[in-house]
């Protein structure tokens, strides 16, 4: 038995540390292959003659697919184990990303993106549940939230790789190769997960529940509130993350290289947001953290949309924008894990997080349609205000779960 860490350390055991870095690496690989699309979107619109609406639909395809993947993987994780499903999801995601790079038309890429979304949804849902059960109650929020910051690392790699490859290679080749960049890291993550064991909480004798258990009894209210929360968090983020490079290139008139400082500030802010959300959630509580970040997000997007910002002001505000859009991700994983008993935690978390993302996934497509009338910046602001308003409403309705012992939750 490994010694427990001090009350100030992030990891209580060596196994917590290994579990954390395995999840962190998987999320980074996911982000790399998903965020690449935002950088190749302007290229595909030029090469294939795609409209803004079609570009938005390709983003929506991933998010809708993630709803199916997250719920399904969560259910299977409750039945067959967290680690076993985590190994499958990373393989599925890698294969689907390769299919994206092999697509030759809109329809094929749409189908590949749906498959990619299934893998993404399953990966994020089961990883959050697994890590939530491995972590101690005192550090659960920080551990799950900080693992989410792997998304910023993958996003940064996607930005750097896209800048280099789209600058040096013909665009017809570069966009395809970008979808293959994450293949080797995904293989390494798969091998590392082979050394993990199931959390003790999951190995304990459990009552077997039907997949419909999250829609009955005390679980129903948790499912409804958790889904509203997830719709808001995802809706705001994906609307901004999908269309922000297009704002910089089309509406601000920047080149791909010229947009890099703005994207770097956005990504740096997102990393700090993950960390701040995770730490603040364990200190101040889940509800106040979610509400604070959501309100700040509304203020910032309105400033962007309504004020005639100079280039330097636009650059300086990119960091806090990234900060608030991801700060909510630093706490949503642990919040959802704390709503459900062990027997239904995978299915409950998977449904809320990914059904929310699937429904919110229509926001990039709707923003694409609305952009033809209002412009991309105004369309993003409109949907972000609605989305973050939902986060505030959910935070008001949820009970505080900071420090909750997951073993005390019963079906």
């Amino acid at each position: 038995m490994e010694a427990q860490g001090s009350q100030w350390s992030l990891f209580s055991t060596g196994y917590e540390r290994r579990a954390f870095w395995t999840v962190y690496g998987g999320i980074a690989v996911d982000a790399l292959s998903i965020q690449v699309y935002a950088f190749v979107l302007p290229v595909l619109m030029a090469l294939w003659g795609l409209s803004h609406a079609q570009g938005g639909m390709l983003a929506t395809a991933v998010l809708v697919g993630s709803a199916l993947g997250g719920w399904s993987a969560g259910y299977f994780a409750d039945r067959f184990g967290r680690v076993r499903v985590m190994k499958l999801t990373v393989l599925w995601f890698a294969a689907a990303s390769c299919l994206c790079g092999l697509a030759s038309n809109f329809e094929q890429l749409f189908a590949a993106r749906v498959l990619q979304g299934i893998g993404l949804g399953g990966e994020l849902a089961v990883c959050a549940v697994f890590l939530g059960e491995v972590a101690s109650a005192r550090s659960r929020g920080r551990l799950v939230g900080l693992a989410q910051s792997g998304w910023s690392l993958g996003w940064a790699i996607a930005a750097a790789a896209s800048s280099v490859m789209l600058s040096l290679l013909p665009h017809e080749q570069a966009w395809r190769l970008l979808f293959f960049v994450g293949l080797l890291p995904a293989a390494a993550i798969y091998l590392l997960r082979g050394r993990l064991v199931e959390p003790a909480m999951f190995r304990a004798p459990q009552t077997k529940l039907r997949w419909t258990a999250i829609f009955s009894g005390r679980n129903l209210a948790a499912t409804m509130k958790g889904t509203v929360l997830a719709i808001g968090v995802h809706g705001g983020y994906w609307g901004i993350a999908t269309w922000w490079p297009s704002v910089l290139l089309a509406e601000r008139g920047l080149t791909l290289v010229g947009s890099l400082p703005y994207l770097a500030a956005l990504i740096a802010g997102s990393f700090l947001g993950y960390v701040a959300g995770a730490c603040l959630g364990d200190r101040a509580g889940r509800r106040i953290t979610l509400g604070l970040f959501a309100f700040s997000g509304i203020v910032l997007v309105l400033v962007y949309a309504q004020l005639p910002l100079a280039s330097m002001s636009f650059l300086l505000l990119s960091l806090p924008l990234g900060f608030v859009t991801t700060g909510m991700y630093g706490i949503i994983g642990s919040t959802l894990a704390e709503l459900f008993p062990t027997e239904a935690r995978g299915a409950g978390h998977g449904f809320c997080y990914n059904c929310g993302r699937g429904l919110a996934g229509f926001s990039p497509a709707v923003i694409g349609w609305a952009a033809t009338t209002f412009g991309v910046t105004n369309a993003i602001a409109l949907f972000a205000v609605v989305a973050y308003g939902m986060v505030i409403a959910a935070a008001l309705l949820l009970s505080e779960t900071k420090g909750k012992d997951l073993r005390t939750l019963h079906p």
Side-chain angles (χ1 to χ4, degrees):
M1 189 106 172
E2 296 181 73
Q4 297 291 313
S6 74
Q7 63 174 332
W8 300 108
S9 64
L10 178 62
F11 305 110
S12 297
T13 66
Y15 185 71
E16 274 191 19
R17 184 182 299 108
R18 291 192 296 273
F20 172 84
W21 289 113
T22 301
V23 170
Y24 184 93
I27 291 175
V29 171
D30 291 349
L32 167 59
S33 296
I34 291 295
Q35 293 292 161
V36 152
Y37 174 72
F39 298 102
V40 304
L41 175 56
V43 173
L44 288 175
M45 291 177 71
L47 291 176
W48 288 1
L50 300 180
S51 65
H52 280 87
Q54 288 176 309
M57 288 175 65
L58 288 172
T60 294
V62 165
L63 305 182
V64 173
S66 72
L68 174 61
W71 189 12
S72 301
Y75 169 72
F76 288 126
D78 285 340
R79 292 295 301 274
F80 305 112
R82 293 22 173 155
V83 174
R84 187 176 300 177
V85 175
M86 284 167 55
K87 291 171 63 179
L88 176 62
T89 55
V90 72
L91 288 181
W92 181 293
F93 183 82
S97 297
C98 291
L99 289 177
C100 289
L102 296 173
S104 58
N105 54 47
F106 171 81
E107 291 76 16
Q108 291 180 7
L109 184 55
F110 185 89
R113 294 277 289 172
V114 171
L115 293 175
Q116 194 181 36
I118 292 173
L120 173 70
E123 171 85 359
L124 296 184
V126 181
C127 281
V129 170
F130 167 74
L131 199 55
E133 292 179 345
V134 168
S136 63
R138 65 173 178 80
S139 63
R140 185 184 307 119
R142 281 173 292 160
L143 216 62
V144 177
L146 290 174
Q148 294 281 343
S149 71
W151 192 272
S152 296
L153 174 62
W155 192 359
I157 296 173
S162 299
S163 177
V164 171
M165 296 179 73
L166 290 172
S167 299
L168 299 180
L169 298 175
H171 285 182
E172 294 85 350
Q173 299 174 9
W175 79 264
R176 295 182 182 278
L177 292 175
L178 283 167
F179 280 107
F180 288 87
V181 173
L183 187 58
L184 288 180
I189 295 298
Y190 174 81
L191 294 176
L192 289 173
R193 288 182 180 176
R195 302 173 58 190
L196 298 176
V197 297
E198 297 294 343
M201 193 178 304
F202 177 79
R203 297 197 306 268
Q206 301 174 33
T207 302
K208 297 299 181 182
L209 299 178
R210 295 173 58 86
W211 64 270
T212 55
I214 61 173
F215 302 113
S216 61
R218 69 183 69 181
N219 291 328
L220 177 59
T223 300
M224 295 176 64
K225 296 173 188 177
T227 302
V228 171
L229 173 63
I231 292 172
V233 172
H234 289 307
Y237 171 79
W238 285 104
I240 294 170
T242 300
W243 286 108
W244 203 249
S246 295
V247 169
L248 297 175
L249 297 176
E251 297 198 352
R252 303 295 295 189
L254 299 174
T255 64
L256 181 62
V257 174
S259 68
L260 287 180
Y262 298 83
L263 292 170
L266 189 70
I267 294 169
S270 75
F271 175 79
L272 296 175
Y274 282 119
V275 175
C279 295
L280 186 60
D282 268 352
R283 277 187 168 271
R286 300 355 182 179
R287 300 172 70 214
I288 192 171
T289 301
L290 290 166
L292 179 62
F293 276 101
F295 177 76
S296 301
I298 290 174
V299 173
L300 275 174
V301 295
L302 289 177
V303 168
Y304 268 109
Q306 301 302 318
L307 298 184
L309 299 175
S311 296
M312 181 54 66
S313 298
F314 199 83
L315 174 61
L316 292 176
L317 283 175
S318 293
L319 191 144
L321 180 65
F323 181 84
V324 299
T325 55
T326 60
M328 288 167 274
Y329 281 100
I331 200 61
I332 187 175
S334 55
T335 301
L336 294 178
E338 291 161 347
L339 296 179
F340 299 96
T342 301
E343 296 86 347
R345 186 167 297 121
H349 186 292
F351 178 84
C352 292
Y353 192 87
N354 293 286
C355 181
R357 179 164 47 198
L359 293 174
F362 288 98
S363 61
V366 177
I367 288 172
W369 291 320
T372 59
T373 302
F374 303 108
V376 178
T377 303
N378 287 329
I380 290 173
L382 173 63
F383 283 91
V385 168
V386 173
Y388 292 149
M390 295 179 70
V391 174
I392 293 173
L396 292 173
L397 293 172
L398 286 168
S399 299
E400 182 56 59
T401 56
K402 182 186 75 169
K404 177 175 286 188
D405 186 346
L406 300 185
R407 293 169 298 182
T408 64
L409 296 172
H410 300 290

